[in-house]
Amino acid sequence: MKKIILAVLLSLASFMAFAGDWQSTIGTGISFTDEELNQKFKLFDNGYYLDLGGFWQADIDYDLTYLLVNKEFGLSFKADAGIGLAIMESILSESGYDKGFHLSGDIGVGYSFLRSDRATLGLFAVFGMNYASYKTSSETSLSLPNGTEEKPTWDLETSLMHYSVGADLTGVFRFTKHLGLFGSFGARWVMGGKIKVSSTAKIAGLSESANLSWDINGKYILTPKLGVSWTF
């Protein structure tokens, strides 16, 4: 019985994949991502983690989206890629923000319940990945016992990568047969990831380097996108 059901489902999926009228849309525009991430540090090999608390990151990206919709059955696919500016709470100072480089990408499959020549609107299950890189420096004054003054510096390179799952509501409204407005709103849960930090301290002609990493998990990502589209 299970084999019969599987064969029917595969036949139906194959039929839907090749039947009907497929519509492709390319959307390009700007996205803003609000990320609340949780940090944890693995203390021992037995799997015990120390909760380091949460931190905030925002990303402003230029995005490119490809949307493929079967106008007869509603089966839909999408893929997104973004590049831009990352901003997060500063690691070296108690106040202020660090600016860095950001990359993002995701793929999704879903159903478009509105799929006319004028408009498309669909809901997608999405898997995504995000990467950010920061380089920051800090300098302070330090009086030594011999009466001289040194200015120690700290150079910090931070990178973080995480992967997430969630849902996107994606829509297109067309002014003409081809040209239109594109928009989406996504919500994600962070499944996992890692932060890596490389630091270099310099004082009195001496230099000391260290590397450290810890894990990311949980909390959320919210991503609205808006731009123009071309349908063909």
Side-chain angles (χ1 to χ4, degrees):
M1 185 65 181
K2 291 183 178 179
K3 291 183 179 180
I4 295 176
I5 295 175
L6 180 60
V8 171
L9 291 175
L10 289 175
S11 299
L12 181 61
S14 300
F15 174 76
M16 291 176 63
F18 293 102
D21 180 18
W22 287 94
Q23 183 184 64
S24 294
T25 298
I26 294 178
T28 182
I30 301 298
S31 71
F32 173 80
T33 303
D34 178 45
E35 302 184 34
E36 286 286 343
L37 306 171
N38 190 62
Q39 308 169 84
K40 58 180 184 178
F41 186 78
K42 190 173 183 179
L43 292 178
F44 307 106
D45 292 334
N46 61 7
Y48 179 77
Y49 286 91
L50 175 66
D51 188 357
L52 301 179
F55 73 98
W56 172 84
Q57 177 176 278
D59 315 305
I60 303 173
D61 290 345
Y62 168 75
D63 278 278
L64 188 65
T65 296
Y66 176 68
L67 178 65
L68 180 64
V69 177
N70 188 304
K71 294 180 68 177
E72 184 174 350
F73 299 105
L75 178 65
S76 304
F77 303 92
K78 71 188 294 281
D80 302 276
I83 182 172
L85 172 69
I87 304 170
M88 75 171 179
E89 296 169 330
S90 179
I91 293 178
L92 287 178
S93 62
E94 295 182 358
S95 61
Y97 299 92
D98 296 332
K99 299 179 180 64
F101 172 75
H102 181 252
L103 286 173
S104 64
D106 56 58
I107 56 174
V109 59
Y111 176 75
S112 293
F113 40 86
L114 178 60
R115 46 187 188 276
S116 67
D117 291 336
R118 179 63 68 181
T120 301
L121 185 63
L123 187 63
F124 296 81
V126 177
F127 172 81
M129 297 193 71
N130 282 261
Y131 171 81
S133 177
Y134 300 87
K135 290 184 179 181
T136 54
S137 297
S138 179
E139 182 180 87
T140 58
S141 296
L142 180 65
S143 297
L144 300 181
N146 59 8
T148 62
E149 187 175 275
E150 288 287 343
K151 291 187 176 182
T153 61
W154 287 268
D155 297 323
L156 202 64
E157 293 187 14
T158 305
S159 65
L160 59 139
M161 178 180 290
H162 58 76
Y163 52 96
S164 58
V165 294
D168 275 6
L169 182 65
T170 300
V172 181
F173 179 80
R174 300 174 186 88
F175 303 115
T176 69
K177 182 179 179 181
H178 301 289
L179 184 63
L181 281 178
F182 166 82
S184 71
F185 181 82
R188 310 273 194 276
W189 176 73
V190 180
M191 298 174 65
K194 190 169 288 291
I195 297 177
K196 295 182 178 181
V197 176
S198 175
S199 63
T200 302
K202 299 177 182 178
I203 182 174
L206 301 176
S207 178
E208 185 71 28
S209 298
N211 297 289
L212 190 63
S213 66
W214 57 94
D215 296 325
I216 305 172
N217 77 317
K219 296 207 174 178
Y220 64 86
I221 305 172
L222 300 177
T223 305
K225 301 178 183 180
L226 184 63
V228 295
S229 64
W230 184 261
T231 299
F232 55 95

